Structure formats: structure tokens, C-alpha cells
Amino acid sequence: MGIHSYFQSLTDLERIIRCPGKFKFQDHSVAEHSWKVVQYAKTLADIEEMNGVAIDWKKLYEITSSHDYGEIFIGDIKTPVKHHSMELRSMLLQVEEGMVALFIDENIPEEFKPFFRRQLREGKDQSVEGQILEVADKLDQIYEAFIELQLGNTEKEFIVMYRTALIKIKEIKLHCVDYFLNHILPDLVSEGCISPIDIEQITKEALAE
């Protein structure tokens, strides 16, 4: 009981493998994903600040570091599945949020509950911090898929993951998105030229949609 239960539960995130059920050259756990999302978000937020945008850094760190905590209870559900319909996505989110709320109610001391309810909430919203989280989350999907494609993994799901994440990112109106598309993505595509998969063509098609 108590905060010990929360600290102990974090180990479970190391055991949940992303994109389950598909052949992968490199496995990535939810814990690894969460750490990378924080790193992406820091740089993305710096780009926003360089362009005069005010950043609530405390909020940013809270929502990026804890955004997938609920997967302790429901696991990592494949992106094509959970985004199959808005109704399904809403139901999964409702279950996840309900399980997190129950965990807080049953394990966290009363004086800490407001902090945990704030920190473990769904952080993707229309605030600049929420949008940065969305970009950072999708950016890690791009890099996870890119690594598999670069290594010659022909599983269709990684092409879908790469395209879907790139399409989502380009629709978000942030300075850091412009920077990614103009300065980072070209380097990524150039590095992908050694892949047996035509990453350049996949990228062009995604950006054209």
C-alpha cells in the first residue's frame, strides 16, 4: 500500500513490449518509450520557446513522463486496433482512466491523491504542452518503425505505423513540427536510403496526404 505500490508498479512498464505479436529486430518496452518521449519533448519545447511560445515545464514533464502509465493495466494495444474507430478509442481510454483512478483511490495516501490525479491524467489536449506530447509520442512511433524498416523488416504494420504517425504530426500546428519536417525528417530519410524498404517514397506519400 501507499506510494511504495506506485514505485513498485513502475517496473511493470519495463515488461510491457510495444507492438506485441509482430516480428521485430529490436524490442522496445513502454518504459523505454516513455523515457524517449520526455527527451523528444524537451527539445520540441525548446524550439517552441525559441519562437516566443511560453512553456509550462512542470506540466510538460508530468504529462510526458507519465502518459502511458495506464498501460500497466491494459497493456500496449496495437495502434491500428485502438484507432480503428473513435468509439473504440474512447472506450479503451475510459477503461484505462478508470483503472488508474481505482489504483490511486486504493493505494495512494489521501494527501497525495490530488498530485497523482493530476500527474497520471491523459495529457494530450489542445494546450501547447498537450500538443508537444502528441508530437513526441508520434515521433517515437516514427523512430521505432524507421529502425525496423531500415533493418529490412517487411511487416506491413511498421509501414502503417510510420505513415500514420507522420500524417498525424504534420497536421499539428507547432513551430517544432515545422522544424521537424524541414530539418530532422530529411536527415532521417537520407539515412534510410540503405534500407531495402523505400522509406523516401513512403514519406513522400504520407506528406502528400
Side-chain angles (χ1 to χ4, degrees):
M1 296 292 289
I3 291 179
H4 163 69
S5 299
Y6 170 69
F7 286 166
Q8 190 174 44
S9 72
L10 297 175
T11 302
D12 293 342
L13 292 175
E14 298 175 6
R15 303 190 182 106
I16 301 173
I17 301 301
R18 286 167 58 80
C19 195
K22 292 294 182 180
F23 169 76
K24 298 180 289 293
F25 285 105
Q26 296 183 13
D27 281 334
H28 299 273
S29 71
V30 173
E32 291 170 323
H33 164 71
S34 295
W35 182 84
K36 287 185 290 180
V37 166
V38 174
Q39 308 312 307
Y40 298 139
K42 288 193 300 183
T43 300
L44 298 175
D46 282 334
I47 295 171
E48 292 302 311
E49 277 200 334
M50 289 169 60
N51 285 274
V53 178
I55 300 294
D56 182 338
W57 284 93
K58 180 179 181 181
K59 177 181 178 180
L60 183 72
Y61 282 122
E62 286 182 347
I63 63 177
T64 54
S65 61
S66 301
H67 76 285
D68 275 341
Y69 181 77
E71 290 190 7
I72 284 177
F73 307 106
I74 67 172
D76 180 53
I77 298 173
K78 297 177 185 179
T79 297
V81 174
K82 63 184 173 185
H83 293 291
H84 176 70
S85 70
M86 289 300 296
E87 182 181 8
L88 177 58
R89 177 62 181 147
S90 177
M91 290 171 63
L92 290 170
L93 183 60
Q94 186 176 3
V95 171
E96 185 176 300
E97 290 179 337
M99 295 298 291
V100 170
L102 182 62
F103 175 82
I104 292 172
D105 287 341
E106 293 184 344
N107 294 279
I108 302 302
E110 201 64 39
E111 66 270 27
F112 287 98
K113 285 180 180 178
F115 303 123
F116 277 80
R117 291 190 180 112
R118 185 187 72 240
Q119 293 171 9
L120 302 184
R121 72 189 187 280
E122 169 58 55
K124 294 176 182 176
D125 56 26
Q126 292 306 304
S127 68
V128 63
E129 296 81 15
Q131 291 183 82
I132 288 174
L133 168 57
E134 181 73 68
V135 175
D137 191 33
K138 294 298 182 289
L139 192 54
D140 196 45
Q141 287 185 21
I142 285 176
Y143 273 99
E144 286 187 16
F146 173 77
I147 289 171
E148 293 299 317
L149 297 175
Q150 189 181 37
L151 292 173
N153 192 333
T154 57
E155 288 277 4
K156 181 181 178 182
E157 186 159 337
F158 293 107
I159 296 176
V160 173
M161 181 189 299
Y162 179 90
R163 291 182 74 257
T164 303
L166 185 53
I167 290 169
K168 179 62 178 179
I169 285 177
K170 75 183 183 71
E171 292 174 347
I172 299 174
K173 305 302 181 184
L174 291 175
H175 300 289
C176 60
V177 171
D178 293 337
Y179 188 92
F180 167 72
L181 295 175
N182 294 324
H183 299 284
I184 301 174
L185 184 60
D187 288 341
L188 181 147
V189 172
S190 176
E191 187 176 312
C193 68
I194 62 173
S195 170
I197 310 297
D198 194 342
I199 296 175
E200 182 177 6
Q201 184 59 35
I202 297 170
T203 302
K204 286 180 179 179
E205 291 174 356
L207 292 177
E209 287 199 18

